[in-house]
Amino acid sequence: WSLTLSPRLECSGAVLAHCNFCLPGLRDSPASASQAAGITGMCHHARLIFAFLVEAGFCHVGQAALDCLTSGALPILASQSAEITSPENPWLVQAYVSAAKHPFASVVAQEVFQSGIIPSDTDFRIYRDFGNIPGIDLAFIENGYIYHTKYDTADRILTDSIQRAGDNILAVLKHLATSDMLASSSKYRHGNMVFFDVLGLFVIAYPSRIGSVINYMVVMAVVLYLGKKLLQPKHKTGNYKKDFLCGLGITLISWFTSLVTVLIIAVFISLIGQSLSWYNHFYVSVCLYGTATVAKIILIHTLAKRFYYMNASDQYLGEVFFDVSLFVHCCFLVALTYQGLCSAFISAVWVAFPLLTKLCVHKDFKQHGAQGKFITFYFLGMFIPYLYALYLIWAVFEMFTPILGRSGSEIPPDVVLASILAACAMILSSYFINFIYLAKSTKKTLLTLTLVCAITFLLVCSGTFFPYSSNPANPKPKRVFLQHMTRTFHDLEGNAVKRDSGVWINGFDYTGMSHITPHIPEINDSIRAHCEENAPLCGFPWYLPVHFLIRKNWYLPAPEVSPRNPAHFRLISKEQTPWDSIKLTFEA
């Protein structure tokens, strides 16, 4: 349907909303979209695209897309993730901030997707790359385990989430239609925007140049705080400068060794064929890699306290290692801001709040040490950065864990997840390293973490945790791509030189066919597909944009394909090009 609008300025225009729904049983029908138009809450894989089209030549065009990445959607206000892909069009961000009723948006998602870390595509990218059209991407992120599987059915969509998405889209449409942003968008262009929601309640947004100013102000505060200590005479601060530099080295060593430890565990588990054991039980990854990371950090600092800082007071060491953590986060803040990343606001939060907390409790800490009052105020001061960090970490694992189940056969998912978990554990533990030095003993904590990690490791190695689940309430299936095909290879003269038929099998995760061979013995490594070196794409009909991630595949001989309308393929002409190649023209 379309709706004609009359903006307040001289540029008259229209808003075109196009709905495309792919429902089971309707996929092959040319009228699928119109047949499904009345059941927006019941889509199998829904796409809702709306474009702001303006008639006058000087007016800018806006476009946005909603990709229902999965049938499951979050049953809370933060039910959608907005990736606003308009770095030079902050007026779209402002429209979303002003109008969206249930906001859930972060510049972090925008920069992650634009970096290419996640090999994915959306409807909006075509408009952005080939039409130079700014816009907004909206995506549901929950329960990606069933994305594009038989379980991705209409009844799994939460109607409330679709309703909230519709509320947001309609509100933003109305806001743009009744403002002068579309007609005079150039007035609102001032570079990138920093934007992020606060627990799905509201969105904070400001220009990136203001964000840079704020970030460097926070950095200057840290420079003044640490500079005062580092530049004081030695008789007042003792060996503070030396202890600070040694503490920095110990902290970096603890992080490096903990990362190496979890990577060794992840590689070993991948080699013995127990990869993805956490896919159906996410707590397994936390108990295995998370505990290993934290235990190694505590061990390194405990050894440093016992053998290196044996003559220093606990209170002094607690202060030194707080300063070390503050300095490391400040370095990240400087690096991210220098790179022009809007996501640097996260580091600013992780520097500003701890610094303010330290300044507030410093006097009480000096007088009474790590007593109840100090601990209470310390935790309260850290509440905001830790709450927001956990909020982001939850979103990261909500999105990335299902992706690792379809990330191909080349990248060990355990290595990726172990690295992410280790990084998260390092960040979350950074401002609590000082408590290792303030505590009398870390034996019980260290033994508990080691025991949990060891038991989990043994259970994983024994195959206790099966990666997949067919539980109707919460399915987590294995993805296998089957294609029955007949291949005919032609030479440059158009003559058929080879012909065969078979079922081409691709496992979309790192475990390959290891879980299928016991049930279907014919599918084993003896039928691994061989690459036809002289044929493009190894002689297989790849149409996936990420085929380079799935190099392990199987080819099971089978009868020829007998389509109702067989394709006819004939070479018409050959032409030598000036750049030393041959242009072939075919008739199909």
Side-chain angles (χ1 to χ4, degrees):
W1 53 268
S2 62
L3 172 67
T4 302
L5 302 174
S6 297
R8 293 187 297 186
L9 295 186
E10 65 276 6
C11 178
S12 60
V15 175
L16 171 66
H18 171 70
C19 299
N20 177 22
F21 300 97
C22 303
L23 291 172
L26 294 176
R27 295 182 193 177
D28 301 326
S29 170
S32 297
S34 60
Q35 291 173 1
I39 48 174
T40 59
M42 301 293 285
C43 66
H44 169 67
H45 179 215
R47 284 191 178 92
L48 172 60
I49 305 172
F50 59 92
F52 311 110
L53 304 176
V54 289
E55 296 174 1
F58 63 89
C59 294
H60 293 280
V61 180
Q63 187 268 351
L66 168 66
D67 272 357
C68 184
L69 295 181
T70 169
S71 289
L74 309 184
I76 57 178
L77 290 180
S79 62
Q80 63 192 105
S81 175
E83 181 212 337
I84 305 182
T85 52
S86 51
E88 296 302 326
N89 294 272
W91 52 276
L92 276 174
V93 180
Q94 293 169 344
Y96 183 87
V97 170
S98 302
K101 294 183 177 180
H102 314 290
F104 184 47
S106 177
V107 71
V108 178
Q110 172 175 295
E111 292 183 336
V112 167
F113 277 95
Q114 289 179 346
S115 70
I117 294 175
I118 302 176
S120 61
D121 217 341
T122 67
D123 296 318
F124 168 61
R125 188 190 65 79
I126 304 302
Y127 290 85
R128 182 195 68 196
D129 293 352
F130 299 101
N132 196 27
I133 298 173
I136 303 174
D137 260 349
L138 303 174
F140 291 102
I141 63 171
E142 190 188 44
N143 201 7
Y145 299 96
I146 62 174
Y147 178 48
H148 279 178
T149 69
K150 70 176 184 179
Y151 299 103
D152 198 0
T153 55
D155 59 299
R156 294 185 185 274
I157 296 178
L158 297 174
T159 309
D160 289 346
S161 294
I162 297 292
Q163 181 63 52
R164 292 180 183 122
D167 290 343
N168 283 350
I169 292 170
L170 183 60
V172 174
L173 275 170
K174 286 182 177 179
H175 180 83
L176 290 171
T178 55
S179 71
D180 62 349
M181 287 184 174
L182 284 178
S184 306
S185 61
S186 59
K187 294 180 181 179
Y188 302 95
R189 283 189 166 192
H190 49 69
N192 292 330
M193 290 282 288
V194 179
F195 59 93
F196 55 94
D197 71 285
V198 178
L199 304 180
L201 301 176
F202 58 89
V203 175
I204 296 175
Y206 48 89
S208 61
R209 63 178 184 274
I210 294 178
S212 297
V213 172
I214 294 173
N215 294 347
Y216 284 124
M217 287 175 64
V218 172
V219 171
M220 286 305 300
V222 175
V223 170
L224 292 173
Y225 168 77
L226 293 178
K228 182 180 178 182
K229 291 185 173 184
L230 292 170
L231 297 177
Q232 279 186 351
K234 187 175 180 180
H235 67 273
K236 289 186 177 182
T237 59
N239 292 320
Y240 178 82
K241 188 182 297 186
K242 177 185 174 183
D243 292 334
F244 176 85
L245 293 175
C246 291
L248 177 61
I250 291 168
T251 300
L252 295 178
I253 289 171
S254 70
W255 287 349
F256 176 75
T257 55
S258 63
L259 178 61
V260 170
T261 300
V262 296
L263 289 180
I264 290 173
I265 296 173
V267 170
F268 178 80
I269 287 174
S270 300
L271 291 176
I272 65 172
Q274 297 300 333
S275 185
L276 289 171
S277 57
W278 39 263
Y279 191 65
N280 187 33
H281 314 277
F282 184 74
Y283 64 87
V284 173
S285 64
V286 177
C287 293
L288 182 61
Y289 301 123
T291 56
T293 303
V294 177
K296 196 59 178 280
I297 291 173
I298 293 176
L299 176 63
I300 296 296
H301 284 282
T302 300
L303 293 175
K305 178 184 177 181
R306 179 174 298 179
F307 298 107
Y308 184 79
Y309 292 113
M310 61 185 75
N311 297 321
S313 70
D314 294 348
Q315 188 172 329
Y316 171 73
L317 292 176
E319 187 164 344
V320 168
F321 278 90
F322 174 88
D323 294 346
V324 166
S325 298
L326 186 69
F327 175 76
V328 171
H329 284 286
C330 189
C331 289
F332 280 117
L333 175 58
V334 172
L336 294 174
T337 306
Y338 179 76
Q339 292 295 323
L341 295 174
C342 296
S343 302
F345 80 90
I346 299 174
S347 291
V349 170
W350 271 75
V351 173
F353 280 92
L355 178 58
L356 288 172
T357 301
K358 181 63 178 358
L359 295 175
C360 291
V361 301
H362 178 71
K363 186 176 180 180
D364 182 77
F365 181 66
K366 281 287 187 181
Q367 293 177 352
H368 306 102
Q371 300 300 320
K373 184 179 178 181
F374 164 78
I375 295 174
T376 301
F377 280 101
Y378 190 86
F379 275 77
L380 287 175
M382 297 295 179
F383 179 75
I384 291 178
Y386 272 82
L387 180 64
Y388 191 74
L390 290 171
Y391 181 57
L392 283 180
I393 290 171
W394 163 79
V396 166
F397 286 112
E398 188 72 39
M399 180 180 296
F400 274 94
T401 306
I403 289 176
L404 292 174
R406 56 179 188 269
S407 59
S409 61
E410 299 303 298
I411 302 175
D414 276 70
V415 171
V416 176
L417 189 71
S419 302
I420 296 174
L421 273 169
C424 292
M426 293 173 197
I427 293 170
L428 294 176
S429 65
S430 58
Y431 282 114
F432 288 95
I433 289 174
N434 53 331
F435 281 92
I436 299 174
Y437 295 88
L438 293 171
K440 291 182 179 180
S441 174
T442 58
K443 276 187 179 180
K444 290 183 179 179
T445 303
L446 201 54
L447 286 173
T448 302
L449 291 171
T450 305
L451 188 62
V452 170
C453 180
I455 292 174
T456 307
F457 178 76
L458 293 174
L459 290 175
V460 168
C461 292
S462 66
T464 302
F465 303 105
F466 188 68
Y468 315 105
S469 170
S470 60
N471 180 5
N474 189 25
K476 294 177 181 176
K478 176 179 174 62
R479 296 164 186 270
V480 179
F481 182 72
L482 304 176
Q483 224 176 322
H484 186 193
M485 62 185 185
T486 296
R487 301 187 299 175
T488 304
F489 296 85
H490 298 261
D491 60 17
L492 292 179
E493 302 300 324
N495 302 315
V497 296
K498 181 181 177 182
R499 182 182 176 89
D500 62 27
S501 299
V503 178
W504 186 38
I505 306 169
N506 283 282
F508 273 32
D509 63 41
Y510 191 74
T511 62
M513 296 294 112
S514 61
H515 295 290
I516 294 177
T517 302
H519 303 280
I520 308 176
E522 293 82 2
I523 302 177
N524 54 58
D525 281 346
S526 67
I527 61 165
R528 279 280 296 276
H530 299 287
C531 179
E532 299 286 346
E533 298 292 345
N534 297 324
L537 301 177
C538 290
F540 290 104
W542 286 106
Y543 68 91
L544 296 170
V546 291
H547 60 83
F548 61 91
L549 294 175
I550 313 173
R551 294 180 181 174
K552 294 178 184 176
N553 42 78
W554 291 257
Y555 193 57
L556 183 65
E560 282 198 12
V561 179
S562 301
R564 294 180 181 178
N565 299 309
H568 298 282
F569 187 75
R570 184 170 65 90
L571 176 66
I572 297 178
S573 65
K574 294 192 299 180
E575 178 185 350
Q576 185 74 35
T577 64
W579 45 88
D580 197 27
S581 63
I582 300 176
K583 178 182 178 181
L584 303 177
T585 304
F586 297 94
E587 179 184 69

